[in-house]
Amino acid sequence: MRRLGDNLAVISLFEMADILKGNHFKPETFVLRNIYVLIALYFGNNRTIPISFLTWAHDDVRGCLFDMNANKQDIVFSMHRPTLCHDCRNRMLNAQIDPGVLPALDQELRRLTKDLFFRINDWVQEHPLWSLAIAAAAALALNVLANVLYDVVKGAISR
């Protein structure tokens, strides 16, 4: 992302599509995330986009909008439900932003998620034993349900 003027910036998607696709994110989510970065910068700097965003960025990965992401691959850590970390939130509050900006930004950031299928896929990869147990229990329940339905239908037909 580069600043072009006080209230104008441009976002590059160069090499990001492959990184996002490999981690099951849509490019639209990346664009929205960067728009929210610009919104936070705009309100946190007296309604202008600062010349350098680096003053807001922090090196450690916190899942925050302002993670440095010097390595492009690190962007995925702040793509699924990004937040404003405690330090960034305090910095915005010290800039005396409008009181409704942070709650509205938090609400919008909660909407930046992966599709349901990919969230379930990630959960299964993180918890293979639980997912196996759930699959086995579901298979057993379906088998019992199928047997009960078979007996009901067989009893209704033989009457």
Side-chain angles (χ1 to χ4, degrees):
M1 183 170 16
R2 298 288 181 254
R3 176 185 185 263
L4 299 179
D6 286 347
N7 297 323
L8 187 63
V10 64
I11 299 169
S12 172
L13 297 175
F14 179 69
E15 295 180 344
M16 291 307 298
D18 294 333
I19 294 170
L20 296 172
K21 190 183 296 183
N23 290 285
H24 311 296
F25 288 104
K26 296 185 276 188
E28 295 87 358
T29 305
F30 174 75
V31 171
L32 281 173
R33 180 202 173 277
N34 282 289
I35 289 171
Y36 294 138
V37 168
L38 288 173
I39 289 169
L41 288 168
Y42 177 81
F43 283 108
N45 288 291
N46 298 319
R47 297 182 185 266
T48 60
I49 300 171
I51 292 171
S52 174
F53 306 148
L54 297 177
T55 59
W56 280 78
H58 39 75
D59 291 332
D60 52 332
V61 177
R62 307 175 189 173
C64 176
L65 281 178
F66 295 105
D67 289 348
M68 176 68 77
N69 300 325
N71 179 359
K72 284 186 178 183
Q73 299 288 337
D74 289 344
I75 193 71
V76 297
F77 297 114
S78 62
M79 286 289 295
H80 179 69
R81 291 204 175 163
T83 61
L84 277 177
C85 68
H86 183 71
D87 295 339
C88 294
R89 183 175 296 279
N90 284 339
R91 187 171 185 176
M92 286 190 73
L93 290 172
N94 289 339
Q96 297 180 349
I97 59 169
D98 296 332
V101 171
L102 281 179
L105 184 60
D106 288 337
Q107 183 178 6
E108 288 296 319
L109 291 177
R110 280 193 295 273
R111 296 175 55 202
L112 291 181
T113 62
K114 287 183 178 182
D115 290 335
L116 179 61
F117 174 80
F118 293 116
R119 284 183 283 167
I120 292 171
N121 184 38
D122 290 345
W123 188 88
V124 167
Q125 288 178 353
E126 290 174 17
H127 305 93
L129 294 177
W130 277 108
S131 57
L132 182 63
I134 291 169
L140 183 64
L142 283 173
N143 190 8
V144 169
L145 180 64
N147 285 333
V148 168
L149 285 175
Y150 175 78
D151 290 341
V152 169
V153 169
K154 184 179 175 185
I157 291 175
S158 59
R159 285 189 212 167

